[in-house]
Amino acid sequence: MAAARPMTRTYLDYNATAPIRREARAAVIAAMEATGNPSSVHAEGRAARRIVEDVRGGVASLCGVAARCVTFASGATEAVNAALNPRFGVGPKESPIERLIVAAGEHPCALHGHRFPLSTVEMAPLCPDGRIDLDWLADACGRPGRALLALQGANNETGVVQPVSEAAAIVHAAGGLLFCDAVQLAGRVSFSAAALGADALALSAHKIGGPKGAGALVAANVDLSLGEPLIRGGGQERGARAGTESVASIAGFGAAIRACVADMAEEAPRLLALREHLADHVRGAAPDAVIFGESAPRLPNTLCFAVPGIEAATLMIALDLAGVAVSSGSACSSGKVTPSHVLAAMGVAPDLARGAIRVSVGWASTDRDAEHFAEAFSGAIRRMRAGRAAGAV
Ligand code: PLP
């Protein structure tokens, strides 16, 4: 009997993690051969140190800061957890930050990973288009107590780009500080800490084609070594983050940054065209589909939509069986699928939010991927609607 041909897989979930870029894989493998500990003073140690410092320079130039502003971490979750504490950039003799304002659509690593007493945390509402409500922010900043605002550069579910520099102007005018989770912005849109007005930023390697397990906390305008380190031990990373640096992962992170920066001018319009092509397919097969955040500026690679009456979990499984990997906008925990907190903050009705599907493209995505999606999606919608019509008879 002839062996079944393996099914073609189409990966459209770059916002969850991007496939590793060839350059990053090569850099990881090469760095694995660097035997030394970057803290050792012998030649092997110095060779490992050179790899780490080279990448530090790359991260710094991506963000438009000096190399000394960059602290490596195991990923963005750690970087965000490390940053969001009442001593954020505050010296031991100064008074701590009194309030954390966290935008309602932030990643759970900010919403649940900060180290502020809960009584000092306020949630900044989003407007229906997914952007932070700047009027609310201005009022909140007018209240007593120095505040730190945690605001993403762009949302991982909807791709909505936040008005970070406008928020920073409001927060700074009131004497506060701004922390920006730039995970989804990096590698997709050019930015700098100064243009964003961010006092510190977090980045993650695996979202841009680097390996999982590397990221950075970038302190642009504050001295985060004054704050409370999350991981204590040796004096690595100038005392800001103990533990031997993951040299190979950092090397891959650096190679991915170089590749993204080199490609960005052509990639951004290419991905935007691909996303619009995907959106046309969605509307073609389901004219009643709702695209979330459509009226706001969005990342060129992200499409988040729902088809009324179609559950995301069912559609996602149908697409997966047809060889297409996307994700649902809902968080699934303890077997219970709950509507996305991001869509809830935008005022999307829970019934519609339960249908949210996120399609995100990236460096290896092609027109062929869009065609595969179109075929799988229209087939799935047709079958589901036919099944519902039959059930209704
Ligand atoms: N912030 C955003 C916006 C993300 O999308 C993610 C990843 O899901 C993170 C933070 C966490 O990144 P990491 O996987 O590097 O911990």
Side-chain angles (χ1 to χ4, degrees):
M1 206 169 73
R5 274 224 319 252
M7 182 198 281
T8 309
R9 294 286 310 173
T10 290
Y11 185 80
L12 300 174
D13 202 11
Y14 280 67
N15 287 11
T17 195
I20 192 152
R21 285 175 175 263
R22 280 178 293 278
E23 303 87 334
R25 181 188 290 109
V28 168
I29 293 167
M32 292 275 204
E33 301 299 330
T35 305
N37 183 318
S39 297
S40 299
V41 293
H42 45 59
E44 287 81 356
R46 293 198 307 276
R49 169 61 53 201
R50 268 197 300 280
I51 295 174
V52 171
E53 295 313 317
D54 238 38
V55 179
R56 201 185 304 281
V59 173
S61 94
L62 180 78
C63 302
V65 300
R68 67 182 147 68
C69 302
V70 177
T71 300
F72 288 113
S74 63
T77 297
E78 184 194 322
V80 173
N81 277 228
L84 298 183
N85 75 88
R87 301 222 68 93
F88 177 95
V90 175
K93 299 214 173 93
E94 293 172 73
S95 49
I97 293 176
E98 291 145 284
R99 301 189 288 147
L100 174 68
I101 301 176
V102 58
E106 295 301 290
H107 190 273
C109 68
L111 288 170
H112 310 303
H114 64 78
R115 291 180 280 159
F116 279 80
L118 288 181
S119 59
T120 65
V121 180
E122 289 159 271
M123 191 89 87
L126 303 185
C127 298
D129 69 0
R131 287 187 285 183
I132 185 170
D133 183 337
L134 292 174
D135 292 333
W136 181 95
L137 182 67
D139 278 353
C141 287
R143 293 197 280 274
R146 194 173 185 217
L148 169 63
L149 171 66
L151 181 63
Q152 292 174 328
N155 185 263
N156 43 304
E157 292 183 23
T158 60
V160 168
V161 174
Q162 291 293 343
V164 180
S165 59
E166 288 161 76
I170 294 170
V171 170
H172 288 155
L177 294 165
L178 185 138
F179 173 78
C180 180
D181 168 350
V183 165
Q184 299 289 348
L185 212 53
R188 305 207 168 107
V189 175
S190 355
F191 70 94
S192 69
L196 291 172
D199 295 293
L201 303 159
L203 303 174
S204 173
H206 72 100
K207 307 288 183 176
I208 60 167
K212 297 167 185 74
L217 174 57
V218 179
N221 287 331
V222 284
D223 184 352
L224 290 183
S225 64
L226 294 172
E228 277 294 302
L230 185 65
I231 299 184
R232 297 157 205 249
Q236 291 94 345
E237 299 292 295
R238 301 168 320 286
R241 199 272 189 183
T244 302
E245 292 89 344
S246 176
V247 179
S249 308
I250 289 171
F253 186 15
I257 291 174
R258 278 196 299 279
C260 285
V261 169
D263 283 1
M264 197 177 305
E266 298 102 68
E267 275 298 88
R270 188 184 76 84
L271 295 181
L272 182 60
L274 203 53
R275 185 195 76 190
E276 289 309 296
H277 198 172
L278 289 161
D280 290 344
H281 285 310
V282 167
R283 290 193 196 97
D288 53 342
V290 176
I291 295 179
F292 300 115
E294 204 177 8
S295 59
R298 279 177 300 151
L299 291 174
N301 79 318
T302 309
L303 175 68
C304 183
F305 67 92
V307 181
I310 302 277
E311 287 281 334
T314 319
L315 179 53
M316 199 174 64
I317 291 165
L319 291 171
D320 191 35
L321 290 173
V324 178
V326 299
S327 72
S328 112
S330 311
C332 181
S333 62
S334 335
K336 192 170 149 233
V337 177
T338 52
S340 137
H341 70 282
V342 179
L343 297 179
M346 291 164 68
V348 175
D351 273 358
L352 186 62
R354 265 193 289 277
I357 290 283
R358 177 187 69 189
V359 181
S360 50
V361 291
W363 68 270
S365 305
T366 62
D367 289 344
R368 227 187 153 122
D369 293 340
E371 298 310 323
H372 188 183
F373 169 83
E375 206 180 292
F377 179 72
S378 53
I381 293 290
R382 218 180 310 111
R383 283 191 304 279
M384 287 162 129
R385 290 208 154 145
R388 282 182 42 193
V393 175

